Amino acid sequence: MIFYFSATGNDQHIAKTIGTATGETTVDISKNLKEGKFIFFVQKGEMLGLVTPTYFGGLPRPVCEFLEKLQLQADEKPYTFYIASYGITNGKTGQQADQYFEQKGFSLDARFSIRMPDTWTPIFNLSKKEKVSKKIACSENELKRVTDKITTQSVGDFMKRKTPKVLGDIYYQWAYTRYGTTNWFTVNENCVGCGLCAKNCPVSAIDIKAGKPVWIKAECATCLGCLHNCPRFAIDYGKNTRRHGQYHYPQKN
C-alpha cells in the first residue's frame, strides 16, 4: 500500500511506477482526505509507503492533516518507506515522515528522494518544454534506482539534499505563513467557470460564485494544482506564474 499526494502528477507517477513494480496498491491522499477515510489495514506481505512533494522544505499541509488522522492496522510490521520529490532540497521531509510513522507504530525502514521539475512557478520557469523534458529524463533514472532498492527492500537513509531539522523548522514555518495564504491568487479573463479548480482542490479552499472561482479559506495547501491544471490557464499566483507556464506529468502539449 502506497499513499501519495500529487497536485501536478509527479508523485502520482512515482507512486504508480513503484506500485506496478511491487504489486502494491496506491492510495490518493487528497481523495481520502475529502472522503474522510483514514482507517487502513496493511495485509501480510504488503509494503507500506508514502510519496509526497516537498513544500517549503517540509510536508504539504494536507499530508500532515492526513497522517495525523491516519489509523493503520497490520498483523505484522511491513517494510515501510518514504519518498520525497523535490526541486532544490527535500528539507526536513524525511524527519517529519519518520515522526508520523513512529507515532503510528510503523518506523521507516528506508527514506528516498527523487529530484523532479520544481512546480513552484512563482520562482521557477517551466515554460521551456525541452528543458523540462531533460529534467524529467534525469528523474526517470533516479526513479528506476529507487524502485530497484524498494523492490529488494533495501534499508537505510538514501535521501539527498537534506536540511538540518532546526533550520528546516524555521523556514517551513516562515514560508508557509508568508506564502500559504490564498490572497496571492487571482483569476484572469481566460476563466470560463468550468469549476475544475474547486472540484480538485485538496483542502476545498475554492468555491464557484457568479461563474468564477473564489477562495473561501484564508490558507490552503499552496500546491498550485488549481493553476497548473486549469484548462484555460486562468489562475495566477503573484506576478511571475503567467510567464513561467503550467506543468503536469506527463507534460501538456
Side-chain angles (χ1 to χ4, degrees):
M1 184 181 299
I2 304 173
F3 296 99
Y4 72 89
F5 178 80
S6 187
T8 58
N10 281 343
D11 296 86
Q12 181 184 54
H13 171 65
I14 292 171
K16 289 191 176 295
T17 297
I18 294 170
T20 298
T22 59
E24 298 293 330
T25 57
T26 56
V27 180
D28 185 345
I29 286 176
S30 294
K31 180 175 182 293
N32 286 275
L33 191 60
K34 282 189 170 184
E35 295 176 354
K37 183 178 180 182
F38 304 108
I39 302 174
F40 294 87
F41 184 81
V42 185
Q43 301 287 342
K44 185 177 181 180
E46 271 191 306
M47 296 180 183
L48 177 60
L50 173 66
V51 182
T52 78
T54 302
Y55 288 177
F56 308 120
L59 295 177
R61 282 172 172 165
V63 173
C64 293
E65 181 182 349
F66 179 79
L67 292 177
E68 287 167 1
K69 297 178 180 179
L70 179 64
Q71 298 179 46
L72 289 171
Q73 302 172 11
D75 290 331
E76 60 184 25
K77 202 282 187 183
Y79 174 73
T80 307
F81 65 89
Y82 169 65
I83 302 173
S85 68
Y86 71 99
I88 300 298
T89 173
N90 60 64
K92 64 169 188 171
T93 53
Q95 296 103 313
Q96 278 184 291
D98 202 19
Q99 287 177 343
Y100 278 116
F101 277 107
E102 284 279 1
Q103 292 170 5
K104 309 299 176 183
F106 297 85
S107 58
L108 291 177
D109 294 298
R111 305 180 193 176
F112 305 94
S113 58
I114 299 174
R115 193 169 191 175
M116 300 288 285
D118 198 316
T119 61
W120 184 247
T121 49
I123 296 177
F124 300 100
N125 190 341
L126 297 180
S127 63
K128 306 297 183 183
K129 298 297 184 182
E130 185 176 350
K131 187 176 181 180
V132 173
S133 293
K134 289 180 179 179
K135 290 184 178 181
I136 290 176
C138 293
S139 302
E140 288 299 307
N141 291 331
E142 287 189 52
L143 175 55
K144 184 180 186 308
R145 287 192 291 269
V146 170
T147 301
D148 290 343
K149 285 186 178 296
I150 291 174
T151 301
T152 57
Q153 299 193 9
S154 298
V155 175
D157 187 350
F158 304 98
M159 298 187 84
K160 302 176 181 178
R161 296 177 178 265
K162 294 178 286 186
T163 300
K165 189 175 185 303
V166 174
L167 293 178
D169 287 342
I170 294 172
Y171 180 71
Y172 183 71
Q173 180 63 38
W174 174 83
Y176 242 137
T177 300
R178 175 84 171 97
Y179 298 109
T181 57
T182 57
N183 58 0
W184 291 91
F185 290 100
T186 56
V187 181
N188 62 51
E189 67 280 0
N190 295 330
C191 180
V192 294
C194 68
L196 285 176
C197 52
K199 178 181 178 181
N200 295 325
C201 178
V203 294
S204 301
I206 305 173
D207 197 3
I208 303 297
K209 297 181 179 180
K212 301 292 181 182
V214 176
W215 280 260
I216 57 176
K217 293 183 179 180
E219 298 179 336
C220 67
T222 324
C223 63
L224 301 189
C226 56
L227 181 159
H228 288 295
N229 295 302
C230 176
R232 299 295 297 270
F233 199 1
I235 296 175
D236 300 305
Y237 178 102
K239 299 178 180 179
N240 296 328
T241 55
R242 175 67 14 197
R243 65 176 184 271
H244 286 175
Q246 289 176 294
Y247 172 89
H248 196 277
Y249 188 99
Q251 292 187 80
K252 295 179 178 178
N253 294 325

